[in-house]
Amino acid sequence: MKILLIQRAERFSPNSVAKDRAILDTVGARLLAAGHEVELVSEQQPFCPEGYDCIYSMGRLPETLARLEGLNAINSSEGISNCARCRLEEIMQHIGTPMAPRDGDHGYWIKRGDAAAQSKGDVQFAATQAELELKKAEFAQRGIHSYTISAHVSGDLIKFYGVAGTGFFRYYYPTDDGESKFGDEQRNGAAHHYPFDATELQHSVDTLAEAVGIKVYGGDCIVDVEGRYYVIDFNDWPSFSRCREEAATAIASLILK
């Protein structure tokens, strides 16, 4: 089979350009080893998506999504668009995904809602309602008028990774290994490893992935002292840096199915 791999624009890989390229390279190596013809391009350069049996895309530029619409792409253009936080929040509410509450006593998170985070400033913490209003004004000054707001939830921060339809699912505590994109994990402190139902979490986020329309996904959740989990982030095709080799095998296996 002839397969196209599309690398995302660097602005969508803040502090993760090399990691995002590495997972795509590793998937490509798996597909080459399986006897497929593979071509890798960047969405920042001109490319033609026609004439391929399958497309694996990390791209997020609007023109990339428009170009791939209706084509056999993993992840789909519609699914990637659905990962914009405002749209994602609507889907999560509709299907009942456990979410952080809107109000609380421990501060707030304001997150850019029209696109994936491209800098640390796109996801900010506000300790008080007054500070939250200032953050809103800062977003407006940057031209960002679409955002989500949720209360901070105390508990263990967990990063999860999955490839829907393959059984692949892994989760990690970033404060255990110190690997971080922006350092926001420190807001919750060192993990206590509160017991929770990982099988239920996997089912919940697999269901979310299906509703959103993507197969290769990752995200964050908080597990509180009672073992309840709250999904606070969900996105298309993360770097899988903690489990790259296993994830690449699972992603490549999608085409074999």
Side-chain angles (χ1 to χ4, degrees), residues 207-230:
T207 300
L208 177 57
E210 182 177 4
V212 168
I214 63 175
K215 293 183 178 296
V216 184
Y217 68 81
D220 299 353
C221 72
I222 302 292
V223 175
D224 69 14
V225 66
E226 301 295 332
R228 295 169 298 207
Y229 63 85
Y230 307 83

Side-chain angles (χ1 to χ4, degrees), residues 10-199:
E10 291 187 0
R11 79 186 201 209
F12 296 116
S13 297
N15 299 333
S16 299
V17 173
K19 292 177 182 177
D20 283 353
R21 173 60 187 260
I23 181 61
L24 208 59
D25 284 341
T26 309
V27 169
R30 296 288 192 279
L31 295 170
L32 284 170
H36 301 292
E37 181 182 348
V38 178
E39 182 177 354
L40 190 151
V41 299
S42 169
E43 69 169 336
Q44 294 175 282
Q45 305 297 326
F47 69 91
C48 178
E50 305 294 340
Y52 294 90
D53 299 299
C54 188
I55 300 170
Y56 284 75
S57 177
M58 298 180 79
R60 289 176 176 168
L61 289 173
E63 52 266 37
T64 300
L65 301 186
R67 193 174 295 171
L68 297 180
E69 189 172 356
L71 298 180
N72 184 22
I74 300 172
N75 290 314
S76 71
S77 292
E78 180 181 7
I80 294 170
S81 296
N82 283 339
C83 286
R85 281 194 171 92
C86 285
R87 176 62 182 141
L88 177 65
E89 189 173 89
E90 293 177 358
I91 295 172
M92 292 172 68
Q93 290 173 339
H94 180 71
I95 67 174
T97 304
M99 300 168 57
R102 174 80 175 188
D103 299 303
D105 300 322
H106 306 287
Y108 304 88
W109 289 95
I110 179 169
K111 303 178 181 181
R112 180 174 187 158
D114 61 341
Q118 299 169 46
S119 70
K120 183 176 176 60
D122 289 344
V123 178
Q124 296 195 42
F125 176 77
T128 64
Q129 184 69 44
E131 187 178 352
L132 178 61
E133 295 304 316
L134 292 175
K135 299 292 185 183
K136 290 180 183 178
E138 290 175 8
F139 270 41
Q141 289 177 352
R142 296 172 54 204
I144 300 173
H145 302 283
S146 176
Y147 49 78
T148 63
I149 297 171
S150 59
H152 177 75
V153 177
S154 298
D156 290 340
L157 176 67
I158 290 175
K159 288 193 169 292
F160 57 81
Y161 307 89
V163 183
T166 68
F168 178 85
F169 182 78
R170 301 288 185 273
Y171 66 90
Y172 302 89
Y173 298 84
T175 56
D176 285 356
D177 60 22
E179 185 176 326
S180 173
K181 182 179 291 186
F182 297 129
D184 290 331
E185 297 87 353
Q186 298 303 320
R187 184 71 58 178
N188 285 74
H192 295 84
H193 301 93
Y194 297 130
F196 74 102
D197 191 335
T199 300

